[in-house]
Amino acid sequence: QEKVQQSPESLIVPEGAMSSLNCTFSNSASQSIWWYQQHPGKGPEALISIFSNGNKKEGRLTVYLNRASLHVSLHIRDSQPSDSAVYLCAVSYYAQGLTFGLGTRVSVFP
Amino acid sequence: EAAVTQSPRSKVAVTGGKVTLSCHQTNNHDYMYWYRQDTGHGLRLIHYSYVADSTEKGDIPDGYKASRPSQENFSLILELASLSQTAVYFCASSDQGAPNERLFFGHGTKLSVL
């Protein structure tokens, strides 16, 4: 069973600051890596994905992937209270499966 | 915007009883999935389907059956509910297979087995 580990478990940041989340995975043969956002009582919602080594930027989000170190990170610039949620890292290993991490709970205070 | 609707939103079941969770999507997507979410385990894939009248096993299929009678509908069936099946269940759909396509999730069904 492939493993996806996320750190930190929780993160508290002031409004306007950068939120930085980490994810490590167990197999470099993974395909795409996805980040999902989940608000309480709701289903996860896809934010951004990356396949190739390097970085990808979309709006306030930047994701960095290093397959050699089996590490991917998500950075949220100018964090807002509405960004408070659980962020899930998901790694695809085979045709139809996504393996999810346990998540990082982000709290942004005004 | 893609729409995935689950019913019921919550359910209390008795041990040994039969439970059916339903999912309906209006996205015209081929792929549908059932996941469960537990504290300490995260989201885990139970069953999925890429065409009507056919289902495939995911990572944790034991104790669950799935049914895909049409492209729009996908059900999860617990024939003999057990305490260990208490969890939040999410249905999702995607246009193509999971690796390169975002999944659209429903709001979840909270199942409590007593």
Short mmCIF file of all heavy atoms in Angstrom, two decimals, chain A residues 1 31-34 36 38 41-46 51 88 92 94-102, chain B residues 1 9 31 33 35 37 40-43 45 48 58-59 90 97-103 105-107:
data_model
loop_
_atom_site.label_atom_id
_atom_site.label_comp_id
_atom_site.label_asym_id
_atom_site.label_seq_id
_atom_site.Cartn_x
_atom_site.Cartn_y
_atom_site.Cartn_z
N GLN A 1 0.85 -1.19 0.00
CA GLN A 1 0.00 0.00 0.00
C GLN A 1 0.88 1.24 0.00
O GLN A 1 1.75 1.39 0.84
CB GLN A 1 -0.91 0.00 1.23
CG GLN A 1 -1.86 1.17 1.32
CD GLN A 1 -2.97 1.10 0.29
OE1 GLN A 1 -3.45 0.03 -0.04
NE2 GLN A 1 -3.35 2.24 -0.23
N GLN A 31 1.95 9.16 -10.54
CA GLN A 31 1.59 10.02 -11.67
C GLN A 31 1.35 11.43 -11.14
O GLN A 31 2.22 12.03 -10.55
CB GLN A 31 0.39 9.41 -12.38
CG GLN A 31 0.71 8.02 -12.95
CD GLN A 31 -0.41 7.42 -13.74
OE1 GLN A 31 -0.96 8.03 -14.67
NE2 GLN A 31 -0.79 6.21 -13.39
N SER A 32 0.16 11.94 -11.29
CA SER A 32 -0.10 13.31 -10.84
C SER A 32 -0.24 13.38 -9.32
O SER A 32 -0.66 12.42 -8.68
CB SER A 32 -1.36 13.86 -11.49
OG SER A 32 -1.21 13.96 -12.88
N ILE A 33 0.10 14.53 -8.78
CA ILE A 33 -0.15 14.82 -7.37
C ILE A 33 -1.16 15.96 -7.31
O ILE A 33 -1.00 16.97 -7.99
CB ILE A 33 1.14 15.20 -6.62
CG1 ILE A 33 2.07 13.99 -6.52
CG2 ILE A 33 0.83 15.69 -5.22
CD1 ILE A 33 3.15 13.94 -7.53
N TRP A 34 -2.18 15.76 -6.49
CA TRP A 34 -3.26 16.73 -6.37
C TRP A 34 -3.31 17.29 -4.94
O TRP A 34 -2.97 16.61 -3.98
CB TRP A 34 -4.60 16.05 -6.64
CG TRP A 34 -4.84 15.71 -8.08
CD1 TRP A 34 -4.43 14.59 -8.75
CD2 TRP A 34 -5.57 16.49 -9.03
NE1 TRP A 34 -4.84 14.63 -10.05
CE2 TRP A 34 -5.54 15.78 -10.26
CE3 TRP A 34 -6.22 17.71 -8.96
CZ2 TRP A 34 -6.16 16.26 -11.40
CZ3 TRP A 34 -6.84 18.19 -10.11
CH2 TRP A 34 -6.80 17.47 -11.31
N TYR A 36 -6.29 18.94 -2.49
CA TYR A 36 -7.72 19.18 -2.32
C TYR A 36 -7.92 20.00 -1.04
O TYR A 36 -7.18 19.87 -0.07
CB TYR A 36 -8.49 17.86 -2.20
CG TYR A 36 -8.72 17.14 -3.51
CD1 TYR A 36 -7.70 16.43 -4.14
CD2 TYR A 36 -9.98 17.18 -4.12
CE1 TYR A 36 -7.92 15.79 -5.34
CE2 TYR A 36 -10.21 16.53 -5.32
CZ TYR A 36 -9.18 15.83 -5.93
OH TYR A 36 -9.41 15.18 -7.13
N GLN A 38 -10.82 20.86 1.94
CA GLN A 38 -12.06 20.36 2.52
C GLN A 38 -12.49 21.22 3.68
O GLN A 38 -11.80 21.31 4.69
CB GLN A 38 -11.89 18.90 2.97
CG GLN A 38 -13.19 18.28 3.44
CD GLN A 38 -13.07 16.79 3.76
OE1 GLN A 38 -11.97 16.29 4.01
NE2 GLN A 38 -14.17 16.08 3.74
N GLY A 41 -17.86 19.54 7.06
CA GLY A 41 -19.16 19.10 6.59
C GLY A 41 -19.32 19.09 5.08
O GLY A 41 -20.42 18.89 4.57
N LYS A 42 -18.22 19.30 4.37
CA LYS A 42 -18.29 19.33 2.90
C LYS A 42 -17.36 18.27 2.30
O LYS A 42 -16.47 17.74 2.97
CB LYS A 42 -17.86 20.71 2.39
CG LYS A 42 -18.70 21.86 2.90
CD LYS A 42 -20.05 21.87 2.25
CE LYS A 42 -20.89 23.06 2.69
NZ LYS A 42 -20.32 24.34 2.25
N GLY A 43 -17.55 18.00 1.03
CA GLY A 43 -16.64 17.11 0.34
C GLY A 43 -15.39 17.84 -0.10
O GLY A 43 -15.39 19.07 -0.22
N PRO A 44 -14.30 17.12 -0.34
CA PRO A 44 -13.07 17.76 -0.84
C PRO A 44 -13.29 18.42 -2.20
O PRO A 44 -14.09 17.94 -3.01
CB PRO A 44 -12.09 16.59 -0.95
CG PRO A 44 -12.65 15.52 -0.06
CD PRO A 44 -14.12 15.68 -0.15
N GLU A 45 -12.54 19.50 -2.42
CA GLU A 45 -12.61 20.21 -3.69
C GLU A 45 -11.20 20.37 -4.24
O GLU A 45 -10.29 20.82 -3.52
CB GLU A 45 -13.25 21.58 -3.49
CG GLU A 45 -13.43 22.36 -4.79
CD GLU A 45 -14.18 23.67 -4.58
OE1 GLU A 45 -14.75 23.86 -3.49
OE2 GLU A 45 -14.18 24.50 -5.51
N ALA A 46 -11.00 19.97 -5.48
CA ALA A 46 -9.66 20.02 -6.08
C ALA A 46 -9.20 21.46 -6.23
O ALA A 46 -9.96 22.34 -6.65
CB ALA A 46 -9.67 19.33 -7.43
N PHE A 51 2.38 17.38 -12.28
CA PHE A 51 2.91 16.10 -12.74
C PHE A 51 4.43 16.14 -12.88
O PHE A 51 5.14 15.22 -12.50
CB PHE A 51 2.27 15.72 -14.08
CG PHE A 51 2.83 14.46 -14.67
CD1 PHE A 51 2.41 13.22 -14.20
CD2 PHE A 51 3.78 14.51 -15.67
CE1 PHE A 51 2.94 12.06 -14.74
CE2 PHE A 51 4.32 13.35 -16.21
CZ PHE A 51 3.89 12.11 -15.74
N LEU A 88 -5.77 18.35 1.69
CA LEU A 88 -5.42 16.95 1.47
C LEU A 88 -4.50 16.82 0.27
O LEU A 88 -4.78 17.37 -0.80
CB LEU A 88 -6.69 16.13 1.21
CG LEU A 88 -7.77 16.18 2.29
CD1 LEU A 88 -9.04 15.49 1.79
CD2 LEU A 88 -7.29 15.52 3.56
N SER A 92 -1.59 9.79 -7.27
CA SER A 92 -2.15 8.73 -8.11
C SER A 92 -1.05 7.72 -8.43
O SER A 92 0.03 8.08 -8.90
CB SER A 92 -2.72 9.32 -9.40
OG SER A 92 -1.72 9.98 -10.14
N TYR A 94 -2.02 4.31 -9.73
CA TYR A 94 -2.43 3.36 -10.74
C TYR A 94 -3.64 3.93 -11.46
O TYR A 94 -4.08 5.03 -11.17
CB TYR A 94 -2.73 2.00 -10.13
CG TYR A 94 -3.77 2.00 -9.03
CD1 TYR A 94 -5.10 1.72 -9.29
CD2 TYR A 94 -3.42 2.27 -7.71
CE1 TYR A 94 -6.05 1.72 -8.30
CE2 TYR A 94 -4.36 2.28 -6.71
CZ TYR A 94 -5.67 2.00 -7.00
OH TYR A 94 -6.60 2.01 -6.00
N ALA A 95 -4.17 3.17 -12.37
CA ALA A 95 -5.13 3.70 -13.32
C ALA A 95 -6.25 4.51 -12.69
O ALA A 95 -6.58 5.58 -13.16
CB ALA A 95 -5.70 2.56 -14.15
N GLN A 96 -6.83 4.00 -11.64
CA GLN A 96 -8.03 4.66 -11.13
C GLN A 96 -7.92 5.10 -9.69
O GLN A 96 -8.91 5.53 -9.11
CB GLN A 96 -9.24 3.74 -11.27
CG GLN A 96 -9.43 3.18 -12.66
CD GLN A 96 -9.40 4.25 -13.73
OE1 GLN A 96 -9.72 5.41 -13.48
NE2 GLN A 96 -8.98 3.89 -14.92
N GLY A 97 -6.77 4.97 -9.09
CA GLY A 97 -6.72 5.22 -7.66
C GLY A 97 -5.98 6.47 -7.26
O GLY A 97 -4.97 6.84 -7.86
N LEU A 98 -6.50 7.12 -6.26
CA LEU A 98 -5.81 8.22 -5.60
C LEU A 98 -5.57 7.80 -4.16
O LEU A 98 -6.51 7.36 -3.49
CB LEU A 98 -6.65 9.49 -5.62
CG LEU A 98 -6.65 10.36 -6.87
CD1 LEU A 98 -7.62 11.53 -6.69
CD2 LEU A 98 -5.26 10.88 -7.16
N THR A 99 -4.35 7.95 -3.67
CA THR A 99 -4.06 7.71 -2.27
C THR A 99 -3.95 9.06 -1.58
O THR A 99 -3.16 9.90 -1.98
CB THR A 99 -2.75 6.91 -2.10
OG1 THR A 99 -2.88 5.66 -2.77
CG2 THR A 99 -2.46 6.67 -0.63
N PHE A 100 -4.77 9.24 -0.55
CA PHE A 100 -4.83 10.52 0.15
C PHE A 100 -4.02 10.49 1.44
O PHE A 100 -3.95 9.47 2.13
CB PHE A 100 -6.29 10.84 0.52
CG PHE A 100 -7.14 11.30 -0.62
CD1 PHE A 100 -7.75 10.38 -1.47
CD2 PHE A 100 -7.36 12.65 -0.85
CE1 PHE A 100 -8.54 10.80 -2.52
CE2 PHE A 100 -8.15 13.09 -1.90
CZ PHE A 100 -8.74 12.16 -2.74
N GLY A 101 -3.46 11.64 1.78
CA GLY A 101 -2.86 11.82 3.09
C GLY A 101 -3.95 12.17 4.10
O GLY A 101 -5.12 12.31 3.74
N LEU A 102 -3.54 12.29 5.38
CA LEU A 102 -4.50 12.57 6.43
C LEU A 102 -4.88 14.04 6.50
O LEU A 102 -5.87 14.40 7.13
CB LEU A 102 -3.95 12.13 7.79
CG LEU A 102 -3.70 10.63 7.94
CD1 LEU A 102 -3.22 10.31 9.34
CD2 LEU A 102 -4.95 9.84 7.61
N GLU B 1 -20.93 24.16 -13.24
CA GLU B 1 -20.20 23.49 -12.16
C GLU B 1 -20.75 22.08 -12.00
O GLU B 1 -21.95 21.86 -12.06
CB GLU B 1 -20.33 24.30 -10.86
CG GLU B 1 -19.58 23.72 -9.68
CD GLU B 1 -18.06 23.79 -9.87
OE1 GLU B 1 -17.58 24.64 -10.63
OE2 GLU B 1 -17.37 22.97 -9.25
N ARG B 9 -28.12 12.36 3.80
CA ARG B 9 -27.00 13.13 4.33
C ARG B 9 -26.44 12.47 5.58
O ARG B 9 -25.24 12.55 5.86
CB ARG B 9 -27.41 14.56 4.64
CG ARG B 9 -27.69 15.40 3.42
CD ARG B 9 -26.43 15.57 2.54
NE ARG B 9 -25.36 16.24 3.23
CZ ARG B 9 -25.17 17.55 3.19
NH1 ARG B 9 -26.00 18.32 2.53
NH2 ARG B 9 -24.13 18.09 3.82
N TYR B 31 -16.75 8.18 -14.97
CA TYR B 31 -16.19 7.55 -13.78
C TYR B 31 -16.92 8.01 -12.52
O TYR B 31 -17.19 9.20 -12.34
CB TYR B 31 -14.71 7.88 -13.64
CG TYR B 31 -13.84 7.19 -14.65
CD1 TYR B 31 -13.70 7.69 -15.94
CD2 TYR B 31 -13.14 6.03 -14.32
CE1 TYR B 31 -12.92 7.05 -16.88
CE2 TYR B 31 -12.34 5.38 -15.25
CZ TYR B 31 -12.23 5.90 -16.53
OH TYR B 31 -11.45 5.26 -17.45
N TYR B 33 -16.98 7.07 -8.08
CA TYR B 33 -16.17 6.46 -7.02
C TYR B 33 -16.92 6.54 -5.69
O TYR B 33 -17.70 7.46 -5.45
CB TYR B 33 -14.86 7.23 -6.84
CG TYR B 33 -14.07 7.49 -8.10
CD1 TYR B 33 -14.40 8.55 -8.93
CD2 TYR B 33 -12.99 6.68 -8.44
CE1 TYR B 33 -13.68 8.80 -10.09
CE2 TYR B 33 -12.26 6.93 -9.60
CZ TYR B 33 -12.61 8.00 -10.41
OH TYR B 33 -11.88 8.24 -11.55
N TYR B 35 -15.71 6.60 -1.66
CA TYR B 35 -14.64 6.67 -0.68
C TYR B 35 -15.25 6.70 0.72
O TYR B 35 -16.36 7.16 0.92
CB TYR B 35 -13.83 7.96 -0.84
CG TYR B 35 -12.86 7.99 -1.99
CD1 TYR B 35 -13.26 8.37 -3.26
CD2 TYR B 35 -11.52 7.66 -1.79
CE1 TYR B 35 -12.35 8.41 -4.32
CE2 TYR B 35 -10.60 7.70 -2.84
CZ TYR B 35 -11.04 8.08 -4.09
OH TYR B 35 -10.14 8.12 -5.13
N GLN B 37 -14.18 8.09 4.73
CA GLN B 37 -13.24 8.94 5.45
C GLN B 37 -13.37 8.68 6.94
O GLN B 37 -14.46 8.79 7.51
CB GLN B 37 -13.49 10.42 5.15
CG GLN B 37 -12.42 11.35 5.72
CD GLN B 37 -12.60 12.77 5.22
OE1 GLN B 37 -13.71 13.28 5.11
NE2 GLN B 37 -11.49 13.44 4.89
N GLY B 40 -7.82 9.22 11.28
CA GLY B 40 -6.65 8.36 11.34
C GLY B 40 -6.38 7.56 10.08
O GLY B 40 -5.32 6.96 9.94
N HIS B 41 -7.35 7.54 9.16
CA HIS B 41 -7.14 6.79 7.91
C HIS B 41 -7.28 7.66 6.66
O HIS B 41 -6.87 7.27 5.59
CB HIS B 41 -8.14 5.64 7.81
CG HIS B 41 -7.86 4.51 8.74
ND1 HIS B 41 -6.85 3.59 8.52
CD2 HIS B 41 -8.43 4.15 9.91
CE1 HIS B 41 -6.84 2.71 9.50
NE2 HIS B 41 -7.78 3.02 10.36
N GLY B 42 -7.87 8.78 6.78
CA GLY B 42 -8.06 9.60 5.60
C GLY B 42 -9.09 9.01 4.66
O GLY B 42 -9.87 8.14 5.02
N LEU B 43 -9.05 9.43 3.42
CA LEU B 43 -9.97 8.95 2.40
C LEU B 43 -9.44 7.68 1.76
O LEU B 43 -8.29 7.64 1.32
CB LEU B 43 -10.14 10.02 1.31
CG LEU B 43 -11.11 11.16 1.61
CD1 LEU B 43 -10.81 12.34 0.71
CD2 LEU B 43 -12.54 10.68 1.38
N LEU B 45 -10.45 4.42 -1.05
CA LEU B 45 -11.31 4.03 -2.16
C LEU B 45 -11.93 2.66 -1.92
O LEU B 45 -11.23 1.68 -1.68
CB LEU B 45 -10.51 4.02 -3.46
CG LEU B 45 -11.27 3.65 -4.72
CD1 LEU B 45 -12.36 4.68 -5.02
CD2 LEU B 45 -10.29 3.55 -5.90
N TYR B 48 -15.25 1.62 -7.54
CA TYR B 48 -15.40 2.62 -8.57
C TYR B 48 -16.01 1.98 -9.80
O TYR B 48 -16.12 0.75 -9.90
CB TYR B 48 -14.07 3.31 -8.89
CG TYR B 48 -13.02 2.43 -9.52
CD1 TYR B 48 -12.88 2.37 -10.90
CD2 TYR B 48 -12.17 1.67 -8.72
CE1 TYR B 48 -11.91 1.56 -11.48
CE2 TYR B 48 -11.20 0.86 -9.28
CZ TYR B 48 -11.06 0.81 -10.66
OH TYR B 48 -10.11 0.01 -11.22
N GLY B 58 -11.96 -1.25 -5.20
CA GLY B 58 -10.91 -0.33 -4.86
C GLY B 58 -9.96 -0.93 -3.86
O GLY B 58 -9.69 -2.13 -3.89
N ASP B 59 -9.49 -0.13 -2.93
CA ASP B 59 -8.49 -0.60 -1.96
C ASP B 59 -9.10 -1.34 -0.77
O ASP B 59 -8.46 -2.20 -0.18
CB ASP B 59 -7.69 0.60 -1.45
CG ASP B 59 -6.90 1.27 -2.55
OD1 ASP B 59 -6.40 0.55 -3.44
OD2 ASP B 59 -6.79 2.51 -2.54
N PHE B 90 -18.10 9.33 0.88
CA PHE B 90 -18.14 10.31 -0.18
C PHE B 90 -18.23 9.63 -1.53
O PHE B 90 -17.50 8.68 -1.83
CB PHE B 90 -16.88 11.19 -0.15
CG PHE B 90 -16.84 12.16 0.99
CD1 PHE B 90 -16.12 11.87 2.13
CD2 PHE B 90 -17.52 13.37 0.91
CE1 PHE B 90 -16.07 12.76 3.19
CE2 PHE B 90 -17.49 14.27 1.96
CZ PHE B 90 -16.77 13.95 3.11
N GLY B 97 -10.23 8.89 -15.98
CA GLY B 97 -9.67 8.24 -14.80
C GLY B 97 -9.01 9.21 -13.87
O GLY B 97 -8.56 10.27 -14.26
N ALA B 98 -8.89 8.79 -12.61
CA ALA B 98 -8.46 9.67 -11.52
C ALA B 98 -7.11 10.34 -11.72
O ALA B 98 -6.96 11.50 -11.35
CB ALA B 98 -8.47 8.90 -10.21
N PRO B 99 -6.10 9.68 -12.25
CA PRO B 99 -4.76 10.28 -12.20
C PRO B 99 -4.66 11.68 -12.80
O PRO B 99 -3.98 12.53 -12.26
CB PRO B 99 -3.90 9.29 -12.99
CG PRO B 99 -4.58 7.99 -12.80
CD PRO B 99 -6.04 8.33 -12.79
N ASN B 100 -5.32 11.90 -13.91
CA ASN B 100 -5.12 13.18 -14.58
C ASN B 100 -6.38 14.04 -14.62
O ASN B 100 -6.42 15.04 -15.32
CB ASN B 100 -4.63 12.94 -16.01
CG ASN B 100 -3.32 12.18 -16.01
OD1 ASN B 100 -2.41 12.52 -15.26
ND2 ASN B 100 -3.23 11.13 -16.80
N GLU B 101 -7.38 13.63 -13.89
CA GLU B 101 -8.63 14.36 -13.88
C GLU B 101 -9.02 14.68 -12.45
O GLU B 101 -8.90 13.84 -11.57
CB GLU B 101 -9.75 13.54 -14.51
CG GLU B 101 -9.66 13.42 -16.01
CD GLU B 101 -10.06 14.72 -16.70
OE1 GLU B 101 -10.97 15.40 -16.19
OE2 GLU B 101 -9.47 15.02 -17.74
N ARG B 102 -9.51 15.87 -12.22
CA ARG B 102 -9.98 16.21 -10.89
C ARG B 102 -11.24 15.42 -10.58
O ARG B 102 -12.06 15.15 -11.47
CB ARG B 102 -10.25 17.71 -10.77
CG ARG B 102 -11.33 18.21 -11.72
CD ARG B 102 -11.62 19.68 -11.49
NE ARG B 102 -12.30 19.92 -10.22
CZ ARG B 102 -12.80 21.09 -9.85
NH1 ARG B 102 -12.66 22.13 -10.64
NH2 ARG B 102 -13.40 21.24 -8.69
N LEU B 103 -11.39 15.05 -9.32
CA LEU B 103 -12.61 14.41 -8.86
C LEU B 103 -13.56 15.47 -8.32
O LEU B 103 -13.14 16.42 -7.66
CB LEU B 103 -12.30 13.41 -7.74
CG LEU B 103 -11.35 12.26 -8.06
CD1 LEU B 103 -11.29 11.30 -6.88
CD2 LEU B 103 -11.75 11.53 -9.32
N PHE B 105 -16.54 15.82 -5.74
CA PHE B 105 -17.10 15.08 -4.62
C PHE B 105 -18.48 15.61 -4.23
O PHE B 105 -18.78 16.80 -4.37
CB PHE B 105 -16.20 15.21 -3.38
CG PHE B 105 -14.96 14.35 -3.43
CD1 PHE B 105 -13.81 14.80 -4.05
CD2 PHE B 105 -14.97 13.09 -2.84
CE1 PHE B 105 -12.67 14.01 -4.08
CE2 PHE B 105 -13.83 12.29 -2.87
CZ PHE B 105 -12.68 12.76 -3.49
N GLY B 106 -19.31 14.70 -3.71
CA GLY B 106 -20.55 15.11 -3.06
C GLY B 106 -20.26 15.59 -1.65
O GLY B 106 -19.10 15.63 -1.22
N HIS B 107 -21.32 15.94 -0.92
CA HIS B 107 -21.17 16.49 0.42
C HIS B 107 -20.98 15.41 1.49
O HIS B 107 -20.70 15.73 2.64
CB HIS B 107 -22.39 17.35 0.78
CG HIS B 107 -22.31 18.71 0.19
ND1 HIS B 107 -22.89 19.81 0.78
CD2 HIS B 107 -21.74 19.16 -0.93
CE1 HIS B 107 -22.66 20.88 0.04
NE2 HIS B 107 -21.97 20.51 -1.01
#
